[in-house]
């Protein structure tokens, strides 16, 4: 342990006292696993499981630090600030707006990493008060990376305890089907057996994911089988029924081959994910032949 010395004076006597150095209190505490904190600079490795590197790093952010994670692997992170402060988060420019509600886009700060598409990354900010534990948005393959100024002390702790699902404590109970908070129901014949099943997307803890509830025997009031997770968390996902088949839209994108690809493959259908003048809490896209000309249009609500 490093030490410092100070002079204590009593009248004409001077005593040299040795005092143990007191470590600086952390400005923020970061909880989670599956990440490291690295220096953010041009050419630095961007992800733990890829050799992609950062390019076009803004001068104002050089020398900062970032949370390096594995691309495509969910990495839940929680942040607690010990004083009111502005926090910066970086994620792919193609990320859904839904998880970023409350975060302000900084349009002048963008950079890229060296995958085949040279993916563009945008920076968002949010003012956080001291005290509350706040989850950091994680969306898309890139995830959400915390950007840490050089003068901020960070204490990294392990993940928060796993949340336990409360049981009804009644083995034979039949209840209404539900998936967490802010669930997005997608009625469809998911298993192609001729009856309507239910797929539900949810973006909240602890249910986050896309779940398939099988209709075991048809009928007007089926009792669905227990849900089976078939994909990642999704928000603002809406079904469109076109020529006898279901097509799933996200803001500005379509989920393609979702049964085969596990709800991860996307196709861009519009240059922007938000057509509203400001950030919308709900951003729902559907295919429809609105003008009756035989061609599909897009309706956004």
């Amino acid at each position: 342990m490093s030490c410092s010395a100070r002079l204590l004076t009593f009248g004409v006597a001077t005593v040299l006292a040795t005092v143990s150095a007191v470590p600086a209190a952390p400005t923020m505490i970061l909880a989670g696993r599956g990440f490291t904190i690295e220096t953010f600079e041009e050419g630095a490795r961007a992800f733990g499981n890829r050799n992609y590197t950062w390019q076009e790093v803004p001068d104002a952010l050089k020398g900062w630090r970032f949370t390096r994670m594995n691309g495509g692997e969910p990495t839940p992170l929680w942040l607690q600030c010990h004083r009111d402060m502005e926090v910066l988060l970086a994620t792919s420019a193609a990320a859904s707006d839904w998880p970023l509600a409350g975060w302000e886009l900084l349009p002048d700060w963008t950079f890229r990493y060296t995958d085949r598409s040279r993916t563009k990354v945008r920076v968002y900010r949010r003012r956080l008060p001291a005290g509350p534990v706040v989850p950091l948005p994680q969306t898309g393959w890139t995830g959400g990376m915390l950007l840490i100024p050089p003068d901020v002390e960070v204490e990294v702790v392990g993940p928060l305890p796993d949340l336990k699902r409360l049981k009804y404590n009644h083995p034979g109970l039949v209840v209404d089907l539900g998936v967490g908070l802010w669930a997005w129901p997608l009625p469809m014949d998911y298993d192609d057996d001729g009856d309507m099943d239910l797929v539900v997307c949810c973006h909240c803890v602890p249910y986050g994911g896309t779940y398939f509830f099988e209709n075991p025997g048809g009928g007007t009031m089926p009792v669905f089988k227990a849900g089976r997770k078939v994909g990642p968390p999704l928000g603002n996902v809406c079904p469109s029924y076109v020529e006898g088949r279901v097509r799933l839209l996200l803001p500005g994108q379509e989920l393609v081959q979702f049964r085969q690809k596990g709800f991860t493959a996307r196709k861009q259908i519009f240059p922007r994910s938000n057509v509203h003048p400001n950030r919308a809490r709900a951003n729902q896209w559907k295919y429809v032949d609105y003008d009756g000309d035989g061609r599909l249009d897009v309706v956004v609500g």
Side-chain angles (χ1 to χ4, degrees):
M1 177 181 293
S2 60
C3 297
S4 60
R6 64 181 179 182
L7 291 176
L8 304 180
T9 303
F10 301 92
V12 294
T14 300
V15 179
L16 181 65
T18 302
V19 182
S20 296
V22 178
T27 311
M28 61 174 62
I29 295 178
L30 188 60
R33 60 186 169 197
F35 72 96
T36 58
I37 295 180
E38 308 293 345
T39 302
F40 186 53
E41 59 189 359
E42 194 79 11
R45 185 173 177 177
F47 299 96
N49 59 346
R50 296 290 191 277
N51 290 323
Y52 305 152
T53 58
W54 298 125
Q55 287 187 339
E56 303 176 18
V57 173
D59 290 338
L61 295 177
K62 290 178 179 177
W64 284 43
R65 290 158 292 162
F66 73 99
T67 50
R68 179 195 285 162
M69 302 172 291
N70 288 340
E73 299 180 11
T75 307
L77 297 176
W78 292 267
L79 181 65
Q80 182 184 46
C81 299
H82 284 186
R83 58 176 171 83
D84 294 355
M85 62 185 300
E86 189 174 86
V87 174
L88 299 189
L89 183 87
T91 190
S92 167
S96 170
D97 290 338
W98 172 259
L100 296 167
W103 292 80
E104 177 191 358
L105 174 65
L106 300 176
D108 294 334
W109 283 1
T110 63
F111 50 95
R112 298 179 183 273
Y113 57 84
T114 58
D115 63 342
R116 183 179 301 176
S117 303
R118 295 189 68 248
T119 296
K120 185 178 182 180
V121 179
R122 289 177 173 168
V123 179
Y124 295 79
R125 70 179 172 190
R126 182 176 177 181
R127 188 79 180 174
L128 294 182
V133 177
V134 178
L136 296 179
Q138 300 298 322
T139 177
W141 191 92
T142 305
M145 298 169 292
L146 180 66
L147 297 177
I148 307 166
D151 60 343
V152 169
E153 293 290 334
V154 182
E155 179 182 350
V156 177
V157 299
L160 297 180
D162 291 337
L163 299 176
K164 293 184 178 180
R165 185 178 301 178
L166 294 177
K167 297 182 178 180
Y168 286 104
N169 201 26
H170 188 323
L173 188 64
V174 177
V175 299
D176 293 337
L177 188 152
V179 180
L181 183 65
W182 296 112
W184 299 82
L186 309 172
M188 68 176 79
D189 183 6
Y190 183 78
D191 53 8
D192 289 323
D193 65 352
D195 54 29
M196 290 294 282
D197 307 302
L198 188 58
V199 175
V200 183
C201 299
C202 179
H203 214 286
C204 67
V205 175
Y207 297 94
T210 299
Y211 294 86
F212 163 51
F213 295 86
E214 182 183 351
N215 182 343
T220 56
M221 293 292 289
V223 177
F224 293 90
K225 291 185 178 180
R228 174 166 59 89
K229 192 172 184 179
V230 293
L234 295 170
N236 284 310
V237 55
C238 294
S240 299
Y241 302 96
V242 181
E243 297 179 350
R245 65 188 184 99
V246 64
R247 298 174 68 173
L248 303 181
L249 297 190
L250 296 166
Q253 299 176 322
E254 180 176 358
L255 289 170
V256 294
Q257 296 182 301
F258 53 86
R259 292 179 178 86
Q260 297 83 4
K261 302 290 186 179
F263 296 83
T264 59
R266 305 183 183 192
K267 178 180 70 174
Q268 199 78 20
I269 62 172
F270 196 75
R272 292 183 291 127
S273 61
N274 186 10
V275 298
H276 304 285
N278 49 22
R279 187 177 298 280
R281 186 175 187 183
N283 189 7
Q284 303 172 58
W285 295 52
K286 284 182 177 287
Y287 282 134
V288 62
D289 182 7
Y290 183 80
D291 51 10
D293 64 354
R295 295 180 298 179
L296 284 179
D297 308 302
V298 174
V299 173
V300 180

